[in-house]
Amino acid sequence: MKERIITSIVIIAVLLIVGLIDNKFLTGFLIGGIGVLGFFEAQKLFNTFDEKIFYVALVSLILPLIIDPLIAAVFAIIVSASYIAYYQKNLEVISPILYPILSLLMLDALYLKHSMGIIGWLIIIVALTDSLAYFVGKNFARKFINEGFCPTSPNKSWEGVIGGVFFASIIGSFVGLYFVDFKSSFFISLIVSISSVFGDLFESYLKRRAGVKDSGDILPGHGGILDRIDGYLFAAPVMFVLLGG
């Protein structure tokens, strides 16, 4: 528990510093660093290891410092697919590019095309969805709906998921008033919150398939990088689209 608390404080401190400085290059380096660590964790989850694909991922994470992140995303997909076709590699080699690299590039695009404030809104929605789902689930799980949320994550309850999404959407709606009208804010908060649930679920599926408890152990008390950002990997692209790109 002590390790978990200390790690949480460090993560929050880093995010606050980067957010307050609000610099394109610093934010890009942070996302790039997360991307590199997440790439290695994803390779383990997908059980696919290819050094050349890592270089593609690395270049695609550096490119947003000088060009549009969406162009970097196109670069990553085309170069990876071309490499796989040329050398007749297994298609799963491209998986760590699709997850998490593309989502992180869209997170960077969300920041660059909108603002750090939008990233803050995103973090609030996803963090509340996760924490409030845990709180509601812990106190009301199986009291109204006997079945668990789904076989992929049997410990999740419908009460927890519904409660987390509901309260995160309401609170997120008021935060979003700084950027859009209430109707749009509520709709965006709701869809982003739901997306984060399935982002968490997808990583749970990958870990279950790989037979591991955590995606890694780089964050004491928290597991791996992907364990901390799974919800954002679905929520960020969704918010980017909902805000009109």
Side-chain angles (χ1 to χ4, degrees), residues 120-205:
W121 184 20
L122 172 70
I123 290 173
I124 288 171
I125 296 170
V126 176
L128 286 176
T129 301
D130 184 55
S131 58
L132 292 174
Y134 174 79
F135 175 78
V136 174
K138 186 175 181 180
N139 291 279
F140 300 99
R142 316 285 174 150
K143 291 188 177 181
F144 300 98
I145 305 174
N146 290 328
E147 298 82 11
F149 180 59
C150 72
T152 303
S153 188
N155 292 328
K156 282 185 183 295
S157 66
W158 275 104
E159 291 88 346
V161 171
I162 293 170
V165 169
F166 175 78
F167 288 112
S169 299
I170 296 299
I171 298 171
S173 297
F174 288 101
V175 176
L177 290 176
Y178 286 98
F179 313 104
V180 294
D181 60 83
F182 184 80
K183 183 179 178 180
S184 298
S185 182
F186 175 75
F187 178 73
I188 291 171
S189 297
L190 174 64
I191 302 303
V192 168
S193 179
I194 293 172
S195 300
S196 73
V197 171
F198 284 93
D200 177 77
L201 189 65
F202 181 69
E203 208 232 344
S204 293
Y205 161 73

Coordinates of all heavy atoms in Angstrom, one line a residue, residues 120-205:
G120 N -6.8 17.7 -19.4 CA -7.3 17.7 -18.0 C -8.7 17.2 -17.9 O -9.0 16.4 -17.0
W121 N -9.5 17.6 -18.8 CA -10.9 17.1 -18.8 C -11.0 15.6 -19.0 O -11.7 14.9 -18.4 CB -11.7 17.9 -19.9 CG -13.1 17.6 -20.0 CD1 -14.0 17.0 -19.0 CD2 -14.0 17.8 -21.1 NE1 -15.2 16.9 -19.5 CE2 -15.3 17.4 -20.8 CE3 -13.8 18.3 -22.4 CZ2 -16.4 17.5 -21.7 CZ3 -14.8 18.4 -23.3 CH2 -16.1 18.0 -22.9
L122 N -10.2 15.2 -20.0 CA -10.1 13.7 -20.3 C -9.6 12.9 -19.1 O -10.2 11.9 -18.7 CB -9.1 13.5 -21.4 CG -8.7 12.1 -21.8 CD1 -9.9 11.3 -22.4 CD2 -7.5 12.0 -22.7
I123 N -8.6 13.4 -18.4 CA -8.1 12.7 -17.2 C -9.1 12.7 -16.1 O -9.3 11.6 -15.5 CB -6.8 13.5 -16.7 CG1 -5.6 13.3 -17.7 CG2 -6.4 12.9 -15.3 CD1 -4.4 14.1 -17.4
I124 N -9.8 13.8 -15.9 CA -10.9 13.8 -14.9 C -12.0 12.7 -15.2 O -12.4 12.0 -14.3 CB -11.5 15.2 -14.8 CG1 -10.5 16.1 -14.1 CG2 -12.8 15.1 -14.0 CD1 -10.9 17.6 -14.2
I125 N -12.4 12.7 -16.4 CA -13.5 11.7 -16.8 C -13.0 10.3 -16.6 O -13.7 9.5 -15.9 CB -13.9 11.9 -18.3 CG1 -14.5 13.3 -18.5 CG2 -14.9 10.8 -18.7 CD1 -14.8 13.6 -19.9
V126 N -11.8 10.0 -17.1 CA -11.3 8.6 -17.0 C -11.0 8.2 -15.6 O -11.4 7.1 -15.1 CB -10.1 8.4 -17.9 CG1 -9.5 7.0 -17.8 CG2 -10.5 8.6 -19.4
A127 N -10.4 9.1 -14.8 CA -10.0 8.8 -13.5 C -11.2 8.6 -12.6 O -11.3 7.7 -11.7 CB -9.1 9.9 -12.9
L128 N -12.3 9.5 -12.8 CA -13.5 9.3 -12.0 C -14.2 8.0 -12.4 O -14.8 7.4 -11.5 CB -14.4 10.5 -12.3 CG -14.0 11.8 -11.6 CD1 -14.9 13.0 -12.0 CD2 -14.0 11.7 -10.1
T129 N -14.2 7.7 -13.6 CA -14.9 6.5 -14.1 C -14.3 5.3 -13.4 O -15.0 4.4 -12.8 CB -14.8 6.3 -15.6 OG1 -15.4 7.4 -16.3 CG2 -15.5 5.0 -16.0
D130 N -13.0 5.2 -13.3 CA -12.3 4.1 -12.7 C -12.5 4.1 -11.2 O -12.8 3.1 -10.6 CB -10.8 4.2 -13.1 CG -10.0 3.0 -12.5 OD1 -10.4 1.8 -12.9 OD2 -9.0 3.2 -11.8
S131 N -12.2 5.2 -10.5 CA -12.3 5.2 -9.1 C -13.7 5.1 -8.5 O -13.9 4.4 -7.5 CB -11.6 6.5 -8.5 OG -12.3 7.7 -9.1
L132 N -14.6 5.7 -9.2 CA -16.0 5.7 -8.7 C -16.7 4.3 -9.0 O -17.5 3.8 -8.3 CB -16.9 6.8 -9.3 CG -16.5 8.2 -8.8 CD1 -17.3 9.3 -9.6 CD2 -16.7 8.3 -7.3
A133 N -16.2 3.7 -10.1 CA -16.7 2.3 -10.4 C -16.2 1.4 -9.3 O -17.0 0.5 -8.9 CB -16.1 1.8 -11.8
Y134 N -15.0 1.6 -8.8 CA -14.5 0.7 -7.7 C -15.2 1.0 -6.5 O -15.6 0.0 -5.8 CB -13.0 1.1 -7.5 CG -12.4 0.4 -6.3 CD1 -12.0 -1.0 -6.4 CD2 -12.2 1.0 -5.1 CE1 -11.5 -1.6 -5.3 CE2 -11.7 0.4 -4.0 CZ -11.3 -0.9 -4.1 OH -10.8 -1.6 -3.0
F135 N -15.5 2.2 -6.2 CA -16.2 2.6 -4.9 C -17.7 2.0 -4.9 O -18.1 1.4 -4.0 CB -16.3 4.1 -4.8 CG -17.1 4.6 -3.6 CD1 -16.6 4.5 -2.3 CD2 -18.4 5.0 -3.8 CE1 -17.4 4.9 -1.2 CE2 -19.2 5.4 -2.7 CZ -18.6 5.4 -1.4
V136 N -18.4 2.3 -6.0 CA -19.8 1.8 -6.1 C -19.8 0.3 -6.2 O -20.6 -0.3 -5.5 CB -20.4 2.4 -7.4 CG1 -21.8 1.8 -7.6 CG2 -20.5 3.9 -7.3
G137 N -18.9 -0.3 -6.9 CA -18.8 -1.8 -7.0 C -18.6 -2.4 -5.7 O -19.2 -3.4 -5.3
K138 N -17.7 -1.8 -4.9 CA -17.3 -2.4 -3.6 C -18.5 -2.4 -2.6 O -18.6 -3.3 -1.8 CB -16.1 -1.6 -3.0 CG -15.6 -2.2 -1.7 CD -14.3 -1.4 -1.3 CE -13.8 -2.0 0.0 NZ -12.6 -1.3 0.5
N139 N -19.3 -1.4 -2.8 CA -20.4 -1.2 -1.8 C -21.7 -1.8 -2.3 O -22.6 -2.1 -1.5 CB -20.6 0.3 -1.5 CG -19.5 0.8 -0.7 OD1 -19.4 0.6 0.6 ND2 -18.5 1.5 -1.3
F140 N -21.9 -1.9 -3.6 CA -23.2 -2.3 -4.2 C -23.1 -3.5 -5.1 O -24.2 -3.9 -5.7 CB -23.9 -1.2 -4.8 CG -24.1 0.0 -3.9 CD1 -23.3 1.1 -3.9 CD2 -25.2 0.0 -3.0 CE1 -23.5 2.2 -3.1 CE2 -25.4 1.0 -2.2 CZ -24.6 2.1 -2.2
A141 N -22.0 -4.1 -5.3 CA -21.8 -5.2 -6.3 C -22.8 -6.3 -6.0 O -23.0 -6.8 -4.9 CB -20.4 -5.7 -6.3
R142 N -23.5 -6.8 -7.1 CA -24.4 -7.9 -7.1 C -25.7 -7.7 -6.2 O -26.4 -8.6 -6.0 CB -23.7 -9.2 -6.6 CG -22.3 -9.4 -7.1 CD -22.3 -9.9 -8.5 NE -20.9 -10.0 -9.1 CZ -20.5 -10.8 -10.0 NH1 -21.4 -11.7 -10.5 NH2 -19.3 -10.8 -10.4
K143 N -25.9 -6.5 -5.8 CA -27.1 -6.2 -5.0 C -28.3 -6.0 -5.9 O -29.5 -6.1 -5.4 CB -26.9 -5.0 -4.1 CG -25.9 -5.3 -3.0 CD -25.8 -4.2 -2.0 CE -24.8 -4.6 -0.8 NZ -24.7 -3.5 0.2
F144 N -28.1 -5.6 -7.1 CA -29.2 -5.3 -8.1 C -29.2 -6.2 -9.3 O -30.2 -6.6 -9.8 CB -29.2 -3.8 -8.5 CG -29.3 -2.9 -7.3 CD1 -28.2 -2.3 -6.8 CD2 -30.6 -2.6 -6.8 CE1 -28.3 -1.4 -5.7 CE2 -30.7 -1.7 -5.7 CZ -29.5 -1.1 -5.2
I145 N -28.0 -6.5 -9.8 CA -27.8 -7.4 -10.9 C -26.8 -8.5 -10.5 O -25.7 -8.2 -10.2 CB -27.2 -6.6 -12.1 CG1 -28.1 -5.3 -12.4 CG2 -27.0 -7.5 -13.3 CD1 -27.5 -4.4 -13.5
N146 N -27.3 -9.7 -10.6 CA -26.5 -10.9 -10.1 C -25.3 -11.2 -11.0 O -24.3 -11.6 -10.5 CB -27.4 -12.1 -10.1 CG -28.5 -12.0 -8.9 OD1 -28.2 -11.4 -7.9 ND2 -29.6 -12.6 -9.1
E147 N -25.5 -11.0 -12.3 CA -24.4 -11.3 -13.2 C -23.3 -10.3 -13.1 O -23.5 -9.1 -12.9 CB -24.9 -11.4 -14.7 CG -26.0 -12.4 -14.9 CD -27.4 -12.0 -14.5 OE1 -27.5 -10.8 -14.3 OE2 -28.3 -12.8 -14.5
G148 N -22.0 -10.8 -13.4 CA -20.9 -9.9 -13.4 C -21.0 -9.1 -14.8 O -21.8 -9.4 -15.7
F149 N -20.1 -8.1 -14.9 CA -20.2 -7.3 -16.1 C -19.9 -8.1 -17.4 O -20.6 -8.0 -18.4 CB -19.1 -6.1 -16.0 CG -19.1 -5.2 -17.2 CD1 -20.2 -4.5 -17.6 CD2 -17.9 -5.1 -17.9 CE1 -20.2 -3.7 -18.7 CE2 -17.9 -4.2 -19.0 CZ -19.0 -3.5 -19.4
C150 N -18.9 -8.9 -17.4 CA -18.6 -9.8 -18.5 C -17.6 -10.9 -18.1 O -16.8 -10.7 -17.1 CB -18.1 -9.0 -19.7 SG -16.5 -8.4 -19.6
P151 N -17.5 -12.0 -18.8 CA -16.5 -13.0 -18.5 C -15.0 -12.6 -18.5 O -14.2 -13.1 -17.8 CB -16.8 -14.1 -19.6 CG -18.1 -13.8 -20.0 CD -18.3 -12.4 -20.0
T152 N -14.7 -11.6 -19.4 CA -13.4 -11.1 -19.5 C -12.9 -10.5 -18.2 O -11.7 -10.7 -17.8 CB -13.3 -10.0 -20.6 OG1 -13.7 -10.6 -21.8 CG2 -11.8 -9.5 -20.7
S153 N -13.7 -9.8 -17.5 CA -13.3 -9.2 -16.2 C -14.4 -9.6 -15.2 O -15.3 -8.7 -14.8 CB -13.2 -7.7 -16.3 OG -12.6 -7.1 -15.2
P154 N -14.4 -10.8 -14.7 CA -15.5 -11.3 -13.8 C -15.6 -10.5 -12.5 O -16.7 -10.6 -11.8 CB -15.1 -12.7 -13.5 CG -13.6 -12.8 -13.8 CD -13.4 -11.8 -14.9
N155 N -14.6 -9.8 -12.0 CA -14.7 -9.1 -10.8 C -15.4 -7.7 -10.9 O -15.8 -7.1 -9.9 CB -13.3 -8.8 -10.2 CG -12.6 -10.1 -9.7 OD1 -13.3 -11.0 -9.3 ND2 -11.3 -10.2 -9.9
K156 N -15.6 -7.3 -12.2 CA -16.4 -6.1 -12.4 C -17.8 -6.4 -12.3 O -18.3 -7.4 -12.8 CB -16.1 -5.5 -13.8 CG -14.8 -4.8 -14.0 CD -14.7 -4.2 -15.4 CE -13.4 -3.5 -15.7 NZ -13.2 -2.3 -14.9
S157 N -18.5 -5.5 -11.6 CA -20.0 -5.6 -11.5 C -20.7 -4.6 -12.3 O -20.1 -3.5 -12.6 CB -20.4 -5.4 -10.0 OG -20.2 -4.1 -9.6
W158 N -21.9 -4.9 -12.7 CA -22.7 -3.9 -13.5 C -23.0 -2.7 -12.6 O -22.9 -1.5 -13.2 CB -24.1 -4.5 -13.9 CG -24.0 -5.3 -15.2 CD1 -23.9 -6.7 -15.3 CD2 -23.9 -4.8 -16.5 NE1 -23.9 -7.0 -16.6 CE2 -23.9 -5.9 -17.4 CE3 -23.9 -3.5 -17.0 CZ2 -23.8 -5.7 -18.8 CZ3 -23.9 -3.3 -18.4 CH2 -23.8 -4.5 -19.3
E159 N -23.2 -2.9 -11.4 CA -23.4 -1.7 -10.5 C -22.2 -0.8 -10.5 O -22.4 0.5 -10.6 CB -23.7 -2.2 -9.1 CG -25.0 -2.9 -8.9 CD -24.9 -4.4 -9.1 OE1 -23.9 -4.8 -9.7 OE2 -25.9 -5.1 -8.7
G160 N -21.0 -1.3 -10.4 CA -19.8 -0.5 -10.4 C -19.6 0.2 -11.7 O -19.4 1.4 -11.7
V161 N -19.8 -0.5 -12.8 CA -19.6 0.1 -14.2 C -20.7 1.2 -14.4 O -20.3 2.4 -14.8 CB -19.7 -0.9 -15.3 CG1 -19.8 -0.2 -16.7 CG2 -18.6 -1.9 -15.2
I162 N -21.9 0.9 -14.1 CA -23.0 2.0 -14.3 C -22.8 3.2 -13.4 O -22.9 4.3 -13.8 CB -24.4 1.3 -14.0 CG1 -24.7 0.3 -15.1 CG2 -25.5 2.4 -14.0 CD1 -25.9 -0.5 -14.8
G163 N -22.4 2.9 -12.1 CA -22.2 4.0 -11.2 C -21.0 4.8 -11.6 O -21.1 6.1 -11.5
G164 N -19.9 4.2 -12.0 CA -18.7 4.9 -12.4 C -19.0 5.8 -13.6 O -18.6 7.0 -13.6
V165 N -19.7 5.2 -14.6 CA -20.0 6.0 -15.8 C -21.0 7.1 -15.5 O -20.8 8.3 -16.0 CB -20.6 5.1 -16.9 CG1 -21.2 5.9 -18.1 CG2 -19.5 4.1 -17.4
F166 N -22.0 6.9 -14.7 CA -23.0 7.9 -14.4 C -22.4 9.1 -13.7 O -22.5 10.2 -14.1 CB -24.1 7.2 -13.5 CG -25.1 8.2 -13.0 CD1 -26.1 8.7 -13.9 CD2 -25.1 8.8 -11.7 CE1 -27.1 9.6 -13.5 CE2 -26.0 9.7 -11.3 CZ -27.0 10.1 -12.2
F167 N -21.7 8.8 -12.6 CA -21.1 10.0 -11.8 C -20.0 10.7 -12.6 O -19.9 11.9 -12.5 CB -20.6 9.5 -10.5 CG -21.7 9.1 -9.5 CD1 -21.9 7.8 -9.2 CD2 -22.6 10.1 -9.0 CE1 -23.0 7.4 -8.3 CE2 -23.6 9.7 -8.2 CZ -23.8 8.4 -7.8
A168 N -19.2 9.9 -13.3 CA -18.1 10.6 -14.1 C -18.7 11.4 -15.2 O -18.2 12.5 -15.5 CB -17.2 9.5 -14.7
S169 N -19.8 11.0 -15.8 CA -20.5 11.8 -16.8 C -21.0 13.1 -16.3 O -20.9 14.1 -16.9 CB -21.6 10.9 -17.5 OG -21.0 9.8 -18.1
I170 N -21.7 13.0 -15.1 CA -22.3 14.2 -14.5 C -21.2 15.2 -14.1 O -21.3 16.4 -14.5 CB -23.1 13.8 -13.3 CG1 -24.3 12.9 -13.6 CG2 -23.6 15.1 -12.5 CD1 -25.2 13.5 -14.6
I171 N -20.2 14.7 -13.4 CA -19.1 15.6 -13.0 C -18.3 16.1 -14.2 O -18.0 17.3 -14.3 CB -18.2 14.9 -12.0 CG1 -18.9 14.5 -10.7 CG2 -17.0 15.8 -11.6 CD1 -18.1 13.6 -9.8
G172 N -18.1 15.2 -15.1 CA -17.3 15.6 -16.4 C -18.1 16.7 -17.2 O -17.5 17.5 -17.8
S173 N -19.4 16.6 -17.1 CA -20.3 17.6 -17.8 C -20.0 19.0 -17.4 O -20.0 19.9 -18.2 CB -21.7 17.2 -17.7 OG -22.0 16.0 -18.2
F174 N -19.9 19.2 -16.0 CA -19.6 20.5 -15.5 C -18.2 21.0 -15.8 O -18.0 22.2 -16.1 CB -19.9 20.5 -14.0 CG -21.4 20.4 -13.7 CD1 -22.0 19.2 -13.3 CD2 -22.2 21.5 -13.8 CE1 -23.3 19.1 -13.0 CE2 -23.6 21.4 -13.5 CZ -24.1 20.2 -13.1
V175 N -17.3 20.1 -15.8 CA -15.9 20.5 -16.1 C -15.8 20.9 -17.6 O -15.2 21.9 -17.9 CB -14.9 19.3 -15.9 CG1 -13.5 19.6 -16.3 CG2 -14.9 18.9 -14.4
G176 N -16.6 20.1 -18.4 CA -16.6 20.4 -19.9 C -17.2 21.7 -20.3 O -17.0 22.2 -21.4
L177 N -17.9 22.4 -19.3 CA -18.5 23.7 -19.7 C -17.5 24.8 -20.0 O -17.8 25.8 -20.5 CB -19.4 24.1 -18.5 CG -20.7 23.3 -18.3 CD1 -21.5 23.8 -17.1 CD2 -21.6 23.4 -19.5
Y178 N -16.3 24.5 -19.6 CA -15.2 25.5 -19.9 C -14.9 25.4 -21.4 O -14.3 26.4 -21.9 CB -13.9 25.1 -19.1 CG -14.0 25.5 -17.6 CD1 -14.3 24.5 -16.7 CD2 -13.8 26.8 -17.2 CE1 -14.4 24.8 -15.3 CE2 -13.8 27.1 -15.8 CZ -14.1 26.1 -14.9 OH -14.2 26.4 -13.6
F179 N -15.3 24.4 -22.1 CA -14.9 24.2 -23.5 C -16.1 24.2 -24.4 O -16.0 24.7 -25.6 CB -14.1 22.9 -23.6 CG -13.0 22.8 -22.6 CD1 -13.2 21.9 -21.5 CD2 -11.9 23.5 -22.7 CE1 -12.2 21.7 -20.6 CE2 -10.9 23.4 -21.7 CZ -11.1 22.5 -20.7
V180 N -17.2 23.6 -24.0 CA -18.4 23.4 -24.9 C -19.7 23.7 -24.1 O -19.6 23.8 -22.9 CB -18.5 22.0 -25.5 CG1 -17.3 21.8 -26.5 CG2 -18.4 20.9 -24.4
D181 N -20.8 23.6 -24.7 CA -22.1 23.8 -24.0 C -22.4 22.5 -23.2 O -21.8 21.5 -23.5 CB -23.2 24.1 -25.0 CG -23.4 23.0 -26.1 OD1 -24.1 22.0 -25.8 OD2 -22.8 23.1 -27.2
F182 N -23.4 22.6 -22.4 CA -23.7 21.5 -21.5 C -24.2 20.3 -22.2 O -23.7 19.1 -21.8 CB -24.8 21.9 -20.5 CG -25.1 20.8 -19.4 CD1 -24.2 20.7 -18.3 CD2 -26.2 20.0 -19.6 CE1 -24.5 19.6 -17.4 CE2 -26.4 18.9 -18.7 CZ -25.5 18.8 -17.6
K183 N -25.0 20.4 -23.2 CA -25.5 19.2 -24.0 C -24.3 18.5 -24.6 O -24.2 17.2 -24.5 CB -26.4 19.6 -25.0 CG -27.0 18.5 -25.8 CD -28.0 19.0 -26.9 CE -28.6 17.8 -27.7 NZ -29.6 18.3 -28.7
S184 N -23.4 19.2 -25.2 CA -22.2 18.6 -25.8 C -21.3 18.0 -24.8 O -20.7 16.9 -24.9 CB -21.5 19.6 -26.7 OG -22.3 20.1 -27.7
S185 N -21.2 18.8 -23.7 CA -20.3 18.3 -22.6 C -20.7 17.0 -22.0 O -19.9 16.1 -21.7 CB -20.2 19.4 -21.5 OG -19.3 19.0 -20.5
F186 N -22.1 16.9 -21.7 CA -22.6 15.7 -21.2 C -22.4 14.5 -22.1 O -22.0 13.4 -21.7 CB -24.1 15.8 -20.8 CG -24.7 14.5 -20.3 CD1 -24.4 14.1 -19.0 CD2 -25.5 13.8 -21.2 CE1 -25.0 12.9 -18.6 CE2 -26.0 12.6 -20.7 CZ -25.8 12.1 -19.4
F187 N -22.7 14.7 -23.4 CA -22.6 13.7 -24.4 C -21.1 13.2 -24.5 O -20.9 12.0 -24.5 CB -23.1 14.2 -25.8 CG -22.9 13.1 -26.9 CD1 -23.8 12.0 -26.9 CD2 -22.0 13.3 -27.8 CE1 -23.7 11.1 -27.9 CE2 -21.8 12.3 -28.8 CZ -22.7 11.2 -28.9
I188 N -20.2 14.1 -24.6 CA -18.8 13.8 -24.7 C -18.3 13.0 -23.5 O -17.6 12.0 -23.5 CB -17.9 15.0 -25.0 CG1 -18.2 15.6 -26.3 CG2 -16.4 14.7 -24.8 CD1 -17.6 17.0 -26.6
S189 N -18.7 13.5 -22.3 CA -18.3 12.9 -21.0 C -18.8 11.5 -20.9 O -18.1 10.6 -20.5 CB -18.8 13.7 -19.8 OG -18.2 15.0 -19.8
L190 N -20.1 11.3 -21.3 CA -20.7 10.0 -21.3 C -20.0 9.0 -22.2 O -19.6 7.9 -21.8 CB -22.2 10.1 -21.7 CG -22.9 8.7 -21.8 CD1 -23.0 8.0 -20.5 CD2 -24.3 9.0 -22.4
I191 N -19.8 9.4 -23.5 CA -19.2 8.4 -24.4 C -17.7 8.2 -24.1 O -17.2 7.0 -24.2 CB -19.3 9.0 -25.9 CG1 -20.7 9.2 -26.2 CG2 -18.6 8.1 -26.9 CD1 -21.6 8.0 -26.1
V192 N -17.0 9.2 -23.6 CA -15.6 9.0 -23.2 C -15.5 8.1 -22.0 O -14.6 7.2 -22.0 CB -14.9 10.4 -23.0 CG1 -13.6 10.2 -22.3 CG2 -14.7 11.2 -24.3
S193 N -16.4 8.3 -21.1 CA -16.4 7.4 -19.9 C -16.6 6.0 -20.3 O -15.9 5.1 -19.8 CB -17.5 7.9 -18.9 OG -17.5 7.1 -17.8
I194 N -17.6 5.7 -21.1 CA -17.9 4.4 -21.6 C -16.7 3.8 -22.3 O -16.4 2.6 -22.1 CB -19.2 4.3 -22.5 CG1 -20.4 4.7 -21.7 CG2 -19.4 3.0 -23.1 CD1 -21.7 4.9 -22.5
S195 N -16.1 4.6 -23.1 CA -14.9 4.1 -23.9 C -13.8 3.7 -23.0 O -13.1 2.7 -23.2 CB -14.4 5.3 -24.8 OG -15.4 5.6 -25.7
S196 N -13.6 4.5 -21.9 CA -12.5 4.1 -20.9 C -12.8 2.8 -20.3 O -11.8 2.1 -20.0 CB -12.4 5.2 -19.9 OG -13.4 5.2 -18.9
V197 N -14.1 2.5 -20.0 CA -14.4 1.2 -19.4 C -13.9 0.0 -20.4 O -13.3 -1.0 -19.9 CB -15.9 1.0 -19.2 CG1 -16.3 -0.4 -18.8 CG2 -16.4 2.0 -18.1
F198 N -14.2 0.2 -21.7 CA -13.8 -0.8 -22.6 C -12.3 -0.8 -22.9 O -11.7 -1.8 -23.3 CB -14.6 -0.7 -23.9 CG -16.0 -1.2 -23.7 CD1 -17.0 -0.4 -23.4 CD2 -16.3 -2.6 -23.8 CE1 -18.3 -0.8 -23.1 CE2 -17.6 -3.1 -23.6 CZ -18.6 -2.2 -23.3
G199 N -11.6 0.3 -22.7 CA -10.2 0.4 -22.8 C -9.6 -0.5 -21.7 O -8.6 -1.3 -21.9
D200 N -10.1 -0.4 -20.5 CA -9.7 -1.2 -19.3 C -10.0 -2.7 -19.6 O -9.2 -3.5 -19.3 CB -10.4 -0.7 -18.1 CG -10.0 -1.5 -16.8 OD1 -9.0 -1.3 -16.3 OD2 -10.9 -2.4 -16.5
L201 N -11.2 -2.9 -20.2 CA -11.6 -4.3 -20.4 C -10.7 -4.9 -21.5 O -10.3 -6.1 -21.4 CB -13.0 -4.3 -20.9 CG -13.7 -5.7 -21.1 CD1 -13.8 -6.3 -19.7 CD2 -15.0 -5.5 -21.7
F202 N -10.3 -4.2 -22.5 CA -9.4 -4.7 -23.5 C -8.1 -5.1 -23.0 O -7.6 -6.2 -23.3 CB -9.2 -3.7 -24.7 CG -8.4 -4.2 -25.8 CD1 -8.8 -5.2 -26.6 CD2 -7.1 -3.7 -26.0 CE1 -8.0 -5.7 -27.7 CE2 -6.3 -4.2 -27.0 CZ -6.8 -5.2 -27.9
E203 N -7.5 -4.3 -22.1 CA -6.2 -4.7 -21.5 C -6.4 -5.9 -20.6 O -5.5 -6.7 -20.5 CB -5.6 -3.5 -20.7 CG -4.1 -3.6 -20.7 CD -3.5 -3.5 -19.3 OE1 -4.3 -3.0 -18.4 OE2 -2.4 -3.8 -19.1
S204 N -7.5 -6.0 -19.9 CA -7.8 -7.2 -19.1 C -7.8 -8.4 -19.9 O -7.3 -9.5 -19.5 CB -9.2 -7.0 -18.3 OG -9.1 -6.0 -17.4
Y205 N -8.4 -8.3 -21.1 CA -8.5 -9.4 -22.1 C -7.1 -9.8 -22.5 O -6.8 -11.0 -22.5 CB -9.3 -9.0 -23.3 CG -9.1 -9.9 -24.5 CD1 -9.5 -11.2 -24.5 CD2 -8.3 -9.4 -25.6 CE1 -9.3 -12.0 -25.6 CE2 -8.1 -10.2 -26.7 CZ -8.6 -11.5 -26.7 OH -8.3 -12.3 -27.8

